Amino acid sequence: MEIIKSDVTVVGGGIAGVCAAIAAARHGLQVSLINDRPVLGGNASSEVRVHINGSAYLGNSPSYYAREGGLVDELKLKIFHYNPLYNKKLMFSISDMALLDMVYGEPNISLFLNTCVHETGIENGRIKWVDGLQLASERKFRFESPTYIDCSGDGVVGYQAGALFRWGREAKHEFNEDLAPEVADHYTMGDTILFQARDVGYPVPFKRPEFAYDITKLSFFESIIKGLNHRAIPRKINGLGGLWWLEYGGHMDIIKNNEDIALELRKLVYGIWDYIKNSGQFDDVDQLILDYVCPIPGKRESRRFVGDYMLSQNDLTTKPHFEDAVSVGGWYMDLHAAKGIYDDGPATAWNFVPGLYNIPFRSLYSCNIPNLMFAGRNISATHVAFGSTRVMATCGCMGQAVGTAASLCFKYGVDPAAIGEEYIGELQTLLLRDGQTIVGLKEELIPYFANGLSVRASSQRSFVNEHSTEAIPLEKGLCLVLPIQTDSDESVRIKVKNDSERLETLRVKLFGGDRKENYIPVDELSGYSVDILAGYDDWITLDLGCKKPADDKIYIVLEGSANLAVYGNEEKITGAVSFHYRPEEPSKLKKFNKSICFKDLLPAHNMYDPMNVINGYSRPYGLPNGWISERTEGHEWLEFTFAEPKNLEEIHLVFNSQLDLEHFDDPIEPLIKDYAVMLFFGDGTEREIKVSGNYLTLNKHKVNAKGVDRIRFDFIATYGSPYFEVFAVKLFAPNGIEVKR
């Protein structure tokens, strides 16, 4: 038995566990990271092949700028950096590589792959050690640390330690959840095995193996060939990465019956492929092969631990304020059918979540095992809330939160509950510093830097979008959302076109919203009609005449006919969002991927003031919260000047990496690629830091400089945008200088 001592032990190498380990390591802890598989990533690995989805909800979140920050964002951008063409057949091996690169890049992490935790030791109600077995090397390990983080999915450490947990669906009355069943049961969501189809360029036959099903004889066959209940085989098979609804096992003990469930799924996968290849119902399949079948199923749900707070459906929909908020979610409450493919009902129910919500720290540690934290699909949440929190980007953010919390446990010699009670402000400060998204929290620039600071820029973008490229018919309503700085707004101009030979009526409705993170029209403020003359093709003035809504945005809904059009382009202007207006479901954002042109917003707005970069927000929240240069083909700059010389430990820059996107298929055009940081000292000397080929949102620079008079940021190139955009510049002082929030 080899004894491995560390400051924290993290069990589980999925996205949650990796983020927990990296966060702890970057805050100075010695970390043991244990994974029972040969690769990292869990369900996102090349073994299981599920995409890392999260709060952006595939780019359809009503919070719009909703992709998570922090380590999850770093990981997604690193994957894209290694594979910018986003070839999906290669993506998951690239994901494996990116995760290994991040973990191996942390000298404080000791990684133990292919190591199964099989026993947990308890002393005085606390976890004392966990034992792991690495079969291939025939080595046994005992991991000892003051704090343990269970990111194993099934909660193996917590279960062995006796941590309280839930299994199955809670009854409706217990948490007042209208999506829960009337009576509690033991149903969970099932497992799925994914597969990959590939065209090899010549005919390849397929013979169904003896163990596989003839699916034409199964109960669900008629349903899937008719495409009912969200279950349909797509017509385009080449490149098909599996069928998420090919699910099984939620009505069983998902852990105890793991191997039986895996066998059933293999029978189904090979049976489905036999039908695709040999039924004659699909075109262009002769040259396709079943290139890859995942060796293990992707598991959705099993144990959920009980913390000091259990997140429920109403926390996701009404979004109460949590003093101990540490991360975000935003995926729909995606509740799968318990019997999977054999269930008579829909494969899943997509239950709406109104944008980003916060997750409290109290849901991330055990209520009865004092030195146990957890992150991932095993957190303290009801089955209904879990339908949203279970996706991997959300799990990764929770991992970053508990990994960072572990550093404070070590620093103060306390258990996680004490962090939530005594040090939650410090935890939130560290998380924000590292790019974590927490709705509504801001980072104040400390007085040491703020007093006497001036910020100026080479140029500043005007709050207009006036260069139109196409006329967009208004037979379906469109909505232009404009952030508002002033107490009230008077008017704005848009460009319209009447293609008909008669007068057309433009119907205008004005709405306000109630939450700054969201782009949801809630309260109708006014409405009127504008007559557009036959053949008219020019700008018109829209009266606004409203006070600034609670969410700092005005929603201008435009409705007309196929003969009436509004002008737009494909240029994105941060903060000003255009989307399809759906009066039957106004809260469900339907992206438009074009921008409605506007100009002359009155009163005039100084929307992209360089001072925005120190306002404490690192992304749009009501207002855009950033500096944008004027359109340029050359260099642009920001400059900070202090009233007196400052000692400076670190500088962070936060760029625009298109937070409205979940995944990337093309270059992230507004991301700043090449830049330089110039430090000017009181003695007349200078220091330059050059960066070339940046691909991250958050860029950190350790400078350890004394007597800085001025900082100049020279921006040289983006990945295609003619504008330079900076959301935040963060300045950090050496230890000993007052830094309280």
Side-chain angles (χ1 to χ4, degrees):
M1 179 76 73
E2 301 175 44
I3 307 299
I4 309 296
K5 294 181 181 291
S6 60
D7 301 324
V8 62
T9 298
V10 180
V11 178
I15 301 302
V18 166
C19 289
I22 292 173
R26 289 183 181 178
H27 283 282
L29 269 60
Q30 295 295 320
V31 181
S32 297
L33 175 58
I34 308 167
N35 193 37
D36 62 357
R37 304 299 304 172
V39 292
L40 296 169
N43 280 350
S45 72
S46 57
E47 289 189 314
V48 185
R49 303 195 170 197
V50 179
H51 291 282
I52 305 172
N53 296 323
S55 58
Y57 188 59
L58 303 177
N60 295 311
S61 169
S63 287
Y64 200 80
Y65 300 103
R67 192 176 78 245
E68 301 86 348
L71 289 172
V72 167
D73 182 60
E74 181 181 337
L75 171 59
K76 284 190 172 185
L77 292 169
K78 187 176 283 286
I79 292 170
F80 184 67
H81 171 69
Y82 282 131
N83 187 27
L85 297 179
Y86 202 72
N87 183 324
K88 291 184 178 180
K89 290 190 288 294
L90 298 175
M91 183 236 170
F92 292 100
S93 59
I94 295 296
S95 177
D96 291 350
M97 181 179 71
L99 286 161
L100 285 169
D101 192 38
M102 290 179 71
V103 169
Y104 287 146
E106 300 296 333
N108 286 347
I109 298 178
S110 297
L111 176 62
F112 298 84
L113 294 174
N114 295 305
T115 302
C116 179
V117 169
H118 62 88
E119 190 172 352
T120 298
I122 299 295
E123 187 175 294
N124 298 322
R126 304 171 61 83
I127 300 175
K128 189 68 175 176
W129 45 261
V130 297
D131 282 352
L133 177 62
Q134 198 175 61
L135 280 174
S137 66
E138 300 181 353
R139 297 171 71 186
K140 297 179 180 179
F141 303 100
R142 173 159 290 180
F143 298 93
E144 298 179 355
S145 62
T147 304
Y148 293 83
I149 301 175
D150 190 335
C151 298
S152 64
D154 287 338
V156 58
V157 174
Y159 175 69
Q160 293 171 2
L164 295 176
F165 68 92
R166 295 287 186 105
W167 185 292
R169 304 187 294 185
E170 289 79 11
K172 181 175 294 187
H173 67 83
E174 186 173 0
F175 292 89
N176 193 29
E177 296 176 308
D178 60 20
L179 296 177
E182 293 292 341
V183 179
D185 57 40
H186 285 275
Y187 286 161
T188 63
M189 298 187 207
D191 297 356
T192 294
I193 284 182
L194 297 177
F195 57 87
Q196 185 78 50
R198 180 166 64 93
D199 190 333
V200 294
Y202 52 86
V204 180
F206 177 79
K207 179 175 175 56
R208 174 167 53 89
E210 292 297 324
F211 71 83
Y213 287 129
D214 176 353
I215 68 159
T216 64
K217 297 178 180 178
L218 299 180
S219 60
F220 58 78
F221 177 70
E222 290 297 325
S223 176
I224 66 168
I225 63 171
K226 293 177 181 178
L228 303 178
N229 293 322
H230 305 306
R231 300 182 182 98
I233 303 174
R235 305 309 302 176
K236 184 179 179 180
I237 306 299
N238 185 29
L240 180 65
L243 301 166
W244 63 266
W245 46 261
L246 202 62
E247 180 178 352
Y248 183 72
H251 58 300
M252 305 166 69
D253 185 325
I254 206 81
I255 296 176
K256 180 179 179 181
N257 299 116
N258 182 75
E259 295 307 311
D260 295 332
I261 292 167
L263 175 58
E264 180 71 10
L265 287 167
R266 291 186 187 103
K267 292 178 179 180
L268 290 166
V269 165
Y270 289 104
I272 287 279
W273 186 249
D274 172 55
Y275 178 71
I276 289 171
K277 283 285 288 186
N278 299 321
S279 67
Q281 299 300 311
F282 296 86
D283 298 327
D284 303 320
V285 296
D286 288 349
Q287 298 184 156
L288 298 187
I289 63 167
L290 193 56
D291 191 40
Y292 186 89
V293 176
C294 293
I296 58 175
K299 189 173 291 184
R300 291 182 175 89
E301 180 183 11
S302 53
R303 301 182 184 103
R304 290 171 284 109
F305 291 121
V306 178
D308 277 346
Y309 189 85
M310 183 159 278
L311 204 66
S312 70
Q313 173 188 340
N314 296 314
D315 295 320
L316 278 55
T317 54
T318 64
K319 300 198 268 190
H321 176 70
F322 291 124
E323 289 289 342
D324 61 337
V326 290
S327 67
V328 295
W331 189 261
Y332 275 28
M333 288 175 283
D334 178 11
L335 303 174
H336 287 228
K339 296 180 181 179
I341 188 66
Y342 293 105
D343 204 290
D344 292 333
T348 192
W350 302 91
N351 299 286
F352 179 65
V353 169
L356 291 171
Y357 57 83
N358 281 332
I359 297 172
F361 182 58
R362 286 165 295 157
S363 294
L364 305 183
Y365 61 82
S366 172
C367 68
N368 71 310
I369 304 296
N371 62 337
L372 173 66
M373 289 187 283
F374 30 75
R377 59 183 176 85
N378 58 8
I379 70 158
S380 181
T382 67
H383 171 83
V384 173
F386 159 86
S388 172
T389 63
R390 66 187 176 85
V391 289
M392 282 182 283
T394 303
C395 294
C397 290
M398 294 185 283
Q400 181 167 356
V402 295
T404 307
S407 71
L408 295 182
C409 291
F410 185 82
K411 176 181 178 180
Y412 294 110
V414 298
D415 289 326
I419 300 301
E421 294 167 1
E422 302 176 48
Y423 305 103
I424 192 63
E426 185 174 355
L427 175 58
Q428 291 169 333
T429 296
L430 292 174
L431 289 168
L432 292 174
R433 178 171 178 163
D434 292 335
Q436 180 87 309
T437 305
I438 307 174
V439 180
L441 289 193
K442 60 187 292 188
E443 297 173 89
E444 301 285 357
L445 188 63
I446 62 171
Y448 175 74
F449 291 119
N451 295 338
L453 173 66
S454 66
V455 182
R456 63 192 190 100
S458 54
S459 68
Q460 178 183 324
R461 182 173 185 172
S462 301
F463 191 47
V464 299
N465 184 23
E466 57 186 336
H467 302 293
S468 59
T469 58
E470 60 182 304
I472 306 158
L474 285 172
E475 72 267 29
K476 293 184 179 179
L478 300 176
C479 183
L480 168 64
V481 189
L482 297 178
I484 302 300
Q485 285 178 314
T486 53
D487 291 337
S488 61
D489 262 33
E490 299 172 8
S491 62
V492 69
R493 290 170 64 78
I494 64 171
K495 190 176 182 181
V496 299
K497 181 179 183 179
N498 182 356
D499 259 342
S500 74
E501 297 178 356
R502 59 184 178 84
L503 181 145
E504 293 282 348
T505 299
L506 173 66
R507 298 183 300 279
V508 181
K509 295 177 184 175
L510 304 179
F511 291 84
D514 58 5
R515 299 195 66 96
K516 292 184 180 183
E517 72 272 15
N518 283 348
Y519 282 74
I520 301 177
V522 176
D523 303 311
E524 186 167 352
L525 306 175
S526 65
Y528 57 88
S529 296
V530 179
D531 289 336
I532 309 298
L533 298 176
Y536 188 85
D537 189 0
D538 208 346
W539 294 88
I540 63 169
T541 299
L542 298 180
D543 292 328
L544 301 178
C546 60
K547 293 183 179 180
K548 181 168 65 174
D551 71 342
D552 295 343
K553 298 184 284 289
I554 183 81
Y555 300 77
I556 305 170
V557 172
L558 307 171
E559 297 175 302
S561 67
N563 294 322
L564 192 61
V566 63
Y567 278 93
N569 57 31
E570 294 186 356
E571 183 171 317
K572 289 186 176 181
I573 176 167
T574 302
V577 172
S578 299
F579 55 81
H580 291 283
Y581 177 62
R582 308 168 77 178
E584 73 285 0
E585 295 179 309
S587 59
K588 294 188 179 180
L589 185 86
K590 185 179 180 184
K591 276 195 171 180
F592 184 40
N593 294 324
K594 299 182 190 300
S595 295
I596 296 171
C597 291
F598 68 93
K599 66 177 182 178
D600 299 334
L601 178 62
L602 296 177
H605 285 56
N606 188 24
M607 193 64 71
Y608 304 113
D609 190 324
M611 289 295 291
N612 289 343
V613 301
I614 56 169
N615 75 359
Y617 293 110
S618 296
R619 64 175 56 213
Y621 179 66
L623 301 176
N625 297 318
W627 166 73
I628 305 180
S629 74
E630 191 51 272
R631 192 179 185 95
T632 181
E633 294 180 359
H635 297 185
E636 298 285 336
W637 50 263
L638 275 172
E639 189 169 85
F640 283 35
T641 304
F642 302 108
E644 57 184 38
K646 302 295 180 184
N647 296 337
L648 182 61
E649 179 189 46
E650 197 166 358
I651 301 171
H652 293 182
L653 293 164
V654 183
F655 299 139
N656 181 359
S657 58
Q658 290 190 233
L659 298 171
D660 56 307
L661 301 179
E662 180 91 87
H663 304 292
F664 322 105
D665 292 304
D666 299 301
I668 304 170
E669 293 190 356
L671 190 60
I672 294 176
K673 179 181 179 182
D674 302 326
Y675 66 94
V677 180
M678 291 290 299
L679 302 179
F680 298 89
F681 297 89
D683 61 5
T685 59
E686 303 173 2
R687 188 199 307 177
E688 183 179 30
I689 303 168
K690 286 188 174 181
V691 177
S692 178
N694 167 61
Y695 59 89
L696 297 175
T697 307
L698 174 60
N699 287 256
K700 299 181 178 183
H701 300 287
K702 277 272 192 185
V703 294
N704 296 318
K706 295 182 178 180
V708 177
D709 274 343
R710 185 162 52 99
I711 310 170
R712 181 182 172 109
F713 305 96
D714 288 312
F715 302 111
I716 301 163
T718 68
Y719 285 89
S721 172
Y723 303 94
F724 292 96
E725 300 192 42
V726 180
F727 280 137
V729 177
K730 308 179 190 181
L731 306 178
F732 298 99
N735 290 334
I737 295 175
E738 180 63 40
V739 295
K740 288 183 179 178
R741 291 204 301 130

